[in-house]
């Protein structure tokens, strides 16, 4: 009898999405991550953010706001990996939809889904020990007045941490780089450098910036994810978006696009 076994498609998918840099994320069902994708691989980005944000230092049951949680994958991760009480806030995904996903993941007692717009958050001052935002903060956080409003929700000493699509250095003038002009959307002007984010947060006076850095080779991981979602997703919108983003990243080859991690502490 042969001892050679064939890999199933699910095994192949899991293998493609298993990266040494993200051991915790690799433990999650690969098909689940693809089916709930709404952009770059949110668990990879959260796992990169976690040490800078000090998630391991939070006490069990600490209160965390997951702002712009999408389909709540990051909220499930926060509850499972760090035993936190998570408020999963999003504007685009209905709470009932996320509640089902959260219950299926076995963390309904630790994750509360809510419908919320980032400029109208229904929470009192000092409600949270930490605030997390993965691939969402760029949509609202470039406003000079936003961070002070958000930071009031943190207890003194609490941290806010975000990961956003970014550029290594600010682009001068009014035109994108020549090689990206065929792909450029005006919305991409919300992508900024780690240095820009550091200055932006520091000038607000709302937090003391502890980290503002760049994910090495983040564009390669983003491209890998785009290719996987293009091939494996059953949602036409996400297939189209992933294909377009993949074309953009291939044209760029890491010259312009990647990810920034920013962490600030409320004094």
């Amino acid at each position: 009898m042969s001892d050679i076994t064939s890999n199933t498609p699910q095994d192949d998918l899991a293998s493609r999405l298993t990266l040494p840099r993200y051991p915790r994320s690799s433990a999650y069902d690969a098909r689940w991550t693809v089916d709930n994708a709404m952009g770059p691989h949110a668990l990879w980005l959260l796992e990169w953010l976690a040490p800078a944000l000090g998630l391991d230092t939070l006490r069990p049951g600490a209160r965390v706001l997951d702002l712009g949680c999408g389909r709540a994958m990051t909220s499930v991760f926060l509850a499972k990996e760090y035993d936190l009480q998570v408020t999963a806030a999003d504007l685009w995904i209905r709470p009932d939809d996320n509640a089902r996903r959260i219950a299926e993941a076995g963390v309904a007692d630790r994750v509360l889904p809510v419908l919320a717009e980032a400029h109208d958050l229904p929470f009192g001052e000092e409600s949270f020990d930490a605030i997390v935002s993965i691939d969402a903060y760029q949509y609202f956080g470039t406003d000079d007045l936003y961070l002070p409003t958000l930071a009031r929700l943190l207890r003194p000493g609490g941290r806010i941490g975000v990961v956003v699509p970014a550029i290594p250095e600010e682009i001068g003038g009014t035109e994108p780089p020549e090689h990206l002009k065929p792909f450029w959307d005006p919305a991409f002007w919300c992508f900024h450098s780690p240095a820009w984010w550091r200055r932006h947060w520091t000038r607000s006076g709302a937090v003391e910036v502890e980290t503002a850095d760049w994910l090495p080779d983040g564009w390669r991981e983003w491209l890998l994810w785009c290719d996987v979602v293009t091939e494996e997703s059953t949602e036409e919108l996400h297939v189209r978006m992933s294909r377009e983003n993949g074309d953009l990243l291939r044209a760029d080859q890491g010259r312009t696009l990647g990810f920034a991690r920013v962490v600030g502490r409320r004094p």
Side-chain angles (χ1 to χ4, degrees):
M1 179 182 295
S2 172
D3 60 356
I4 298 175
T5 58
S6 298
N7 288 338
T8 67
Q10 179 63 18
D11 291 335
D12 292 339
L13 179 59
S15 177
R16 292 180 71 186
L17 296 179
T18 298
L19 302 184
R21 180 148 57 181
Y22 309 116
R24 293 188 189 228
S25 301
S26 298
Y28 286 74
D29 181 73
R31 171 57 56 186
W32 181 75
T33 63
V34 170
D35 289 346
N36 293 302
M38 291 187 68
H41 197 307
L43 299 191
W44 289 349
L45 298 181
L46 178 54
E47 191 165 353
W48 178 49
L49 174 65
L53 188 58
L55 290 180
D56 277 323
T57 68
L58 292 176
R59 70 184 189 283
R63 303 159 300 168
V64 177
L65 172 62
D66 187 2
L67 182 58
C69 69
R71 289 175 168 163
M73 284 200 298
T74 47
S75 302
V76 169
F77 188 92
L78 289 165
K80 281 181 170 287
E81 300 300 317
Y82 302 101
D83 195 18
L84 302 172
Q85 288 290 331
V86 185
T87 299
D90 200 80
L91 179 64
W92 296 342
I93 304 300
R94 304 296 301 181
D96 287 351
D97 185 13
N98 273 342
R100 174 186 54 78
R101 202 165 7 257
I102 290 163
E104 290 171 352
V107 290
D109 60 330
R110 284 172 283 167
V111 181
L112 175 67
V114 300
L115 183 69
E117 202 279 325
H119 295 88
D120 188 24
L121 297 173
F123 312 115
E125 293 193 16
E126 302 183 13
S127 292
F128 300 102
D129 298 293
I131 297 173
V132 171
S133 186
I134 303 296
D135 185 34
Y137 194 81
Q138 70 274 14
Y139 294 123
F140 42 81
T142 58
D143 180 348
D144 288 336
L145 303 179
Y146 185 73
L147 184 59
T149 302
L150 180 63
R152 69 179 180 82
L153 304 182
L154 278 174
R155 63 167 175 80
R159 289 183 175 90
I160 175 173
V162 308
V163 177
V164 292
I167 54 179
E169 297 179 355
E170 290 301 294
I171 299 171
T174 59
E175 296 293 324
E178 192 67 32
H179 68 284
L180 292 182
K181 283 186 176 180
F183 310 95
W184 195 261
D185 185 299
F188 295 164
W189 290 114
C190 74
F191 299 169
H192 291 286
S193 66
W196 185 94
W197 282 108
R198 178 181 291 276
R199 184 186 66 178
H200 183 60
W201 280 23
T202 298
R203 291 196 305 189
S204 76
V207 298
E208 298 169 349
V209 178
E210 297 180 333
T211 301
D213 59 2
W214 181 259
L215 178 61
D217 280 334
W219 76 274
R220 296 183 187 277
E221 297 169 358
W222 192 357
L223 177 57
L224 167 63
W225 178 245
C226 286
D227 288 345
V228 169
V229 173
T230 298
E231 297 165 16
E232 299 288 342
S233 177
T234 59
E235 296 191 42
E236 182 178 346
L237 173 62
H238 293 149
V239 169
R240 177 175 59 78
M241 291 178 60
S242 293
R243 183 181 295 115
E244 292 174 354
N245 287 337
D247 291 342
L248 172 73
L249 292 164
R250 282 191 175 84
D252 186 53
Q253 291 292 305
R255 286 177 281 178
T256 311
L257 300 170
F259 296 101
R261 171 178 63 178
V262 193
V263 174
R265 178 181 178 275
R266 183 179 181 184

